[in-house]
Amino acid sequence: MSKLMTHGALGHPSKSEAPAHTAFTRARPVLSCPFHSRMSPQRDRLSARTSIGSDGSGCSTIRSSSPARAARFGELAARAYPDASLEVLELAAAWASWLFVRDDRCDEWGGGIEEIDGGESRVLSDAAEAGPDPLKAALADLRPRLVRLGGDAWMGRFVRHLAEYFDACAWEEQNRRSRRAPDVTTYVE
């Protein structure tokens, strides 16, 4: 049986036995993680450099006021890969940044994912021209770094998996538009 701790509306432990807002108070199990939290010693260097084009190759950087900057992708990468080189950490942070910005763009676009998905897989698979789209330009910037670290065979698998991800996003958007929730069996397939 786990110990229970009373938490307030914001998830903070209550300071009294009888919280003022009992409607927002609930009992939660105290979670314990037996593993020591580790952080890359490169975190501060990485956080200062985190952007979509983190190597300064002309891709747009994430403004300090943007939600993407607030997400602290450098810190995320430093915590997820505490033993990785700065090059790998920059790539992980740039990839997370790219996915975040792309997801936001899909949400803001309004027309759905189909309209903005044209050519992203090609930019990664065969270094196709990115054109004026800054999101595709950022992806084109990521490609040589991905190939350098993973190799051609890995890159081929990555592109196939990314295409499957894009297909799943388009399917999700179609379901959302038609207000349809797939059953569990269909969803798991």
Side-chain angles (χ1 to χ4, degrees):
M1 195 57 87
S2 67
K3 294 179 184 177
L4 294 179
M5 180 180 234
T6 305
H7 284 67
L10 298 176
H12 301 289
S14 64
K15 295 185 181 194
S16 69
E17 301 248 294
H21 303 288
T22 56
F24 295 108
T25 304
R26 60 181 175 258
R28 293 187 190 166
V30 175
L31 300 178
S32 169
C33 180
F35 305 105
H36 177 67
S37 177
R38 295 177 56 217
M39 182 75 72
S40 169
Q42 303 284 356
R43 179 183 80 179
D44 292 337
R45 268 180 81 191
L46 180 64
S47 293
R49 297 169 62 165
T50 300
S51 65
I52 293 176
S54 62
D55 65 353
S57 64
C59 293
S60 58
T61 59
I62 297 173
R63 288 187 224 114
S64 60
S65 62
S66 78
R69 176 66 81 179
R72 301 185 338 233
F73 292 114
E75 187 173 331
L76 173 68
R79 189 170 300 280
Y81 307 105
D83 299 317
S85 69
L86 183 60
E87 179 183 24
V88 170
L89 290 170
E90 285 178 336
L91 183 57
W95 177 246
S97 299
W98 186 86
L99 283 172
F100 182 92
V101 171
R102 182 182 187 278
D103 183 67
D104 274 2
R105 186 189 233 190
C106 290
D107 291 344
E108 292 168 7
W109 193 278
I113 199 156
E114 302 91 358
E115 287 86 358
I116 66 167
D117 188 25
E120 290 174 335
S121 294
R122 278 196 43 233
V123 168
L124 277 179
S125 64
D126 60 10
E129 184 64 36
D133 181 355
L135 197 59
K136 287 181 187 169
L139 198 56
D141 174 57
L142 290 172
R143 186 187 191 287
R145 296 191 283 162
L146 288 165
V147 171
R148 184 173 56 250
L149 290 171
D152 290 329
W154 177 87
M155 189 65 183
R157 287 189 305 276
F158 180 73
V159 169
R160 282 192 307 277
H161 293 160
L162 189 62
E164 290 174 7
Y165 165 73
F166 291 152
D167 289 346
C169 290
W171 179 64
E172 179 183 15
E173 176 63 25
Q174 291 164 355
N175 286 333
R176 203 176 288 145
R177 261 194 229 150
S178 64
R179 298 183 182 274
R180 178 181 59 224
D183 60 57
V184 173
T185 304
T186 303
Y187 183 78
V188 172
E189 289 175 355

